[in-house]
Amino acid sequence: MIKFFGLQLIALIIMQVSNAQVVITPDKLYGQLFKDVQVQKIFPDGKTFVDCVPKRSVKDIMYDYGMMKGPKMDLKKFVEDNFTLPKAPPQLNYIQQEKDVSMHIKNLWGVLRRDVDPQPAEAGSSLLPLPNPYIVPGGRFREIYYWDSYFTMLGLKESGEIDMIENMVKNFAFLIDTYGHIPNGNRSYYLSRSQPPYFSLMVALLADVKGESVYKTYLPAMEREYKYWMEDADELKIDSVGKRACKMNDGSILNRYWDDAGTPRPESYKEDYDMAEEAAAELAKRIRVASPEALEKILSNCKINLYHNLRGGAASGWDFSSRWFADETTLPTIQVSDIVPVDLNCLLYALEMNIAKAAEVAGNKKSSHSYAQMACRRSCAILKYCWNSGAGFFTDYNITTRQQNDIVTAAGLFPLFVKIATKGQADTVTATTTTQLIKAGGLVTTTNHTGQQWDAPNGWAPLQWIAVQGLKNYSKTKEANDIARKWLALNEKVYLATGKLMEKYNVEDLSKEGGGGEYPAQDGFGWTNGVYLALKHLYPAK
């Protein structure tokens, strides 16, 4: 009887949430069922269950689960009976054997296209419906992703798919208007965080094709996104942090990645949960406290802090990389919340400059000047805190230790991409890039080999584009050419061998695939397609 009334209460809460049309994540919606499915690893990929859609009312499913739960229950069958599982990616379409890679990509856009989502979303679905068509990355990534989309758009432009670019920009503006920011992707479980802020660069890309009036159209959305990143910045004291804003010891404002939730990521629940439990157990062996209650509080805070940092790593897009690790080696030492990332702040500089441009187009000179001034202050702060003369490179800054990280990563090329580096700095960065980051297949992500996917030996399409454009901005033609041609050749080599374009590549040993990370290598692949076409336009075959 107690179980029955407990379930009634859960059902009542669910109904109230539904009536209020509040977005609720799968871990909250399904409670113990969710935890059991994820912890028992019913599906190899933790993203499977969070993308499932219930076949009937959630309250009925939860009631039946409460009544049937027990040691003899076939949990996988229960899920398959009560939920529609996400469709497997259409593999046959991904391995078409066009001889020409560019033609393959142009044919692939239709495979990666998603039409207008049903409004509203199906009851219990984690999908956040979008009002216009869009392109997904591919593989397990069945929804739109924020920073992926900018690099996908580069290829859409080369394919003449201007309407799709505009549809995707409209979708992102819709997300900003609806939720106050662009989430990691259009899923409820991504709402607690954003990703690298490329929206203003998407607007600039569209404006290059359709004219400067585009800036005016999306000015309100850009300003609202900026407010999200600068939330509580005005309230900060010297040497303190808010959510995403950090007030440095000289009073300047820079930013960090942050996820509001202090719980395991629903899509990677078991991995996060297990890691936090292990970290807490190790901590318990090393400390002595006055009471069990005090110990429990310390261990609870340890877990919450780890969850925030794992989620922050996902917000960065670099999930995961040694650039975030205190020991530069192991994931449990992740400290994203302590890091002022050089690339994030360069993108926010670009956002400030593009808002200034948009305000000028809109005829608001005062606002334009204000944003330009903020951009100027940010560029000075980036050069002060992120230029690492010892490494000869731009690196991240740790706001807790008040020291620059020494690890050389491809993120250090962003100041060249947004044109704030001095000529001398660009010369030094180019030399360091040549000796440490340029490999046989293009630009490697970092110099560290950790088994994480955003470390060596992997190379990623977006970083190739940033590096090539950044080097070209400072007339480093030879080095830009070297990266671009090596990357294009590697893409073509793998395509001829497999019929696929991959999410990431091994740029150090061209006989091996890219690896590491929390899931198998994915093909499709949105941003690889986009960057390939864009680089092929700049560097056509001789």
Side-chain angles (χ1 to χ4, degrees), residues 17 82 144 165 244 317 357 370 394 401 452 490 503:
V17 168
N82 287 281
I144 203 168
I165 294 174
R244 291 161 290 277
K357 169 78 171 179
S370 175
F394 287 98
T401 64
Q452 299 298 332
L490 177 57
E503 179 190 19

Side-chain angles (χ1 to χ4, degrees), residues 324-499:
W324 310 127
F325 304 163
D327 64 0
E328 294 189 9
T329 304
T330 54
L331 181 54
T333 68
I334 189 168
Q335 52 177 0
V336 180
S337 60
D338 292 337
I339 303 296
V340 169
V342 60
D343 46 353
L344 168 62
N345 284 282
C346 286
L347 290 170
L348 289 171
Y349 166 83
L351 174 56
E352 289 161 341
M353 290 297 291
N354 281 322
I355 295 176
K357 169 78 171 179
E360 181 182 13
V361 171
N364 191 334
K365 293 183 178 180
K366 182 178 179 180
S367 177
S368 177
H369 177 73
S370 175
Y371 278 102
Q373 288 294 103
M374 286 187 281
C376 181
R377 289 193 290 269
R378 184 182 296 273
S379 67
C380 291
I382 293 171
L383 297 184
K384 175 178 179 179
Y385 289 99
C386 295
W387 173 246
N388 188 324
S389 57
F393 216 68
F394 287 98
T395 62
D396 301 326
Y397 182 84
N398 189 306
I399 53 179
T400 300
T401 64
R402 298 185 183 181
Q403 293 180 335
Q404 296 163 333
N405 291 349
D406 288 328
I407 178 173
V408 171
T409 81
L413 285 147
F414 274 74
L416 280 66
F417 177 69
V418 299
K419 305 178 185 179
I420 63 172
T422 67
K423 182 182 181 302
Q425 289 168 341
D427 291 343
T428 307
V429 165
T430 303
T432 304
T433 299
T434 301
T435 57
Q436 298 192 44
L437 295 179
I438 299 180
K439 304 296 180 180
L443 194 77
V444 73
T445 309
T446 76
T447 55
N448 289 344
H449 291 76
T450 64
Q452 299 298 332
Q453 63 175 352
W454 287 87
D455 278 319
N458 288 342
W460 295 75
L463 301 179
Q464 313 303 313
W465 179 257
I466 295 298
V468 169
Q469 291 298 311
L471 292 167
K472 283 166 61 69
N473 286 340
Y474 289 83
S475 301
K476 307 300 181 182
T477 308
K478 177 180 179 298
E479 293 79 7
N481 177 81
D482 194 24
I483 294 170
R485 292 202 178 279
K486 286 178 174 180
W487 180 257
L488 289 170
L490 177 57
N491 285 189
E492 290 161 2
K493 175 182 179 293
V494 173
Y495 176 73
L496 290 174
T498 66

